[in-house]
Amino acid sequence: MNYYLRYFDDETLVSSPDEAIEFLASIPEINLTPEMEADVREYLESDVIYPKRYKVRPRIYFIVIKTEAASMQDFKEKKALRHDTNSSAKMSEQSRLNEENHGWYEGRLDFKRVVINHNGKCEYRDTTFVAQCLANSAMDCYNRIVNHLKSRVDSRSQFPSAKGKNFNYRFLGEQPQV
């Protein structure tokens, strides 16, 4: 793991927390206190992967980014981006939503349902709804479930996207021939 640090036009790519602290200490505008140094070291040694910025003075920050890039050129060309291994599986799952496959589906939808509490105020409750329906695709199944719920729950209820993690489905089989 390497670390990219930037303060205005001063930037570097280092491979250890000590090198990062040395870079920050070399910039006169940054008052590197023992607390800030300890916080930077803690961040660099943690498993946290998102970038972090540190306040130098009001509206002035330096930024620290963890990267797999081996050189500054690789970092600038974004050659070491983290790729989510689940993203390709999720993309293929999403592309199957509109795939025509007439038959029975079981759809599971987690949504925010509006209920009126004992004080007469509205509150959102996490609600799971499961239904089996005859549909032409998984997206058709989702639309049928949402349309059914919209006619039966408060209109302020919130429904998730079909592409999100709050909608799951499985194909149960084709419609029997009559």
Side-chain angles (χ1 to χ4, degrees):
M1 178 72 59
N2 289 322
Y3 313 107
Y4 171 79
L5 292 95
R6 181 173 183 165
Y7 179 72
F8 289 101
D9 291 336
D10 294 321
E11 62 183 358
T12 189
L13 188 70
V14 297
S15 59
S16 73
D18 291 331
E19 292 176 45
I21 297 300
E22 186 178 311
F23 169 76
L24 294 172
S26 72
I27 301 173
E29 293 90 15
I30 297 177
N31 180 20
L32 195 60
T33 63
E35 294 82 19
M36 184 185 287
E37 181 179 339
D39 192 55
V40 170
R41 282 184 190 280
E42 181 181 331
Y43 166 72
L44 294 176
E45 294 168 354
S46 72
D47 292 333
V48 176
I49 59 170
Y50 58 84
K52 188 165 183 181
R53 66 181 188 168
Y54 290 89
K55 192 174 204 171
V56 175
R57 52 185 189 277
R59 296 187 304 227
I60 305 294
Y61 300 88
F62 69 86
I63 189 167
V64 181
I65 300 173
K66 293 182 178 182
T67 181
E68 298 292 333
S71 68
M72 184 66 83
Q73 184 177 355
D74 288 349
F75 179 78
K76 296 280 182 162
E77 293 174 1
K78 299 179 182 172
K79 290 184 179 176
L81 290 176
R82 292 181 176 269
H83 295 288
D84 187 3
T85 55
N86 293 333
S87 65
S88 60
K90 190 66 178 168
M91 288 302 289
S92 68
E93 181 76 21
Q94 290 174 5
S95 66
R96 291 188 2 226
L97 279 173
N98 292 318
E99 190 175 289
E100 289 281 327
N101 192 8
H102 187 72
W104 286 95
Y105 288 84
E106 181 178 86
R108 178 186 190 93
L109 186 71
D110 297 324
F111 69 103
K112 301 283 186 188
R113 181 179 183 180
V114 170
V115 294
I116 310 299
N117 66 18
H118 63 280
N119 293 332
K121 294 187 177 181
C122 296
E123 62 181 54
Y124 288 95
R125 291 217 180 118
D126 291 331
T127 305
T128 299
F129 183 81
V130 180
Q132 293 179 353
C133 61
L134 190 58
N136 295 320
S137 66
M139 191 66 187
D140 186 31
C141 171
Y142 169 82
N143 290 332
R144 288 173 186 257
I145 290 172
V146 170
N147 289 337
H148 173 80
L149 289 171
K150 280 183 177 179
S151 66
R152 287 163 177 79
V153 297
D154 191 292
S155 63
R156 293 168 287 191
S157 297
Q158 298 174 353
F159 299 101
S161 165
K163 297 178 181 177
K165 64 180 181 180
N166 291 323
F167 173 67
N168 298 302
Y169 68 91
R170 66 185 174 115
F171 183 70
L172 300 174
E174 294 182 14
Q175 180 181 6
Q177 297 294 328
V178 180

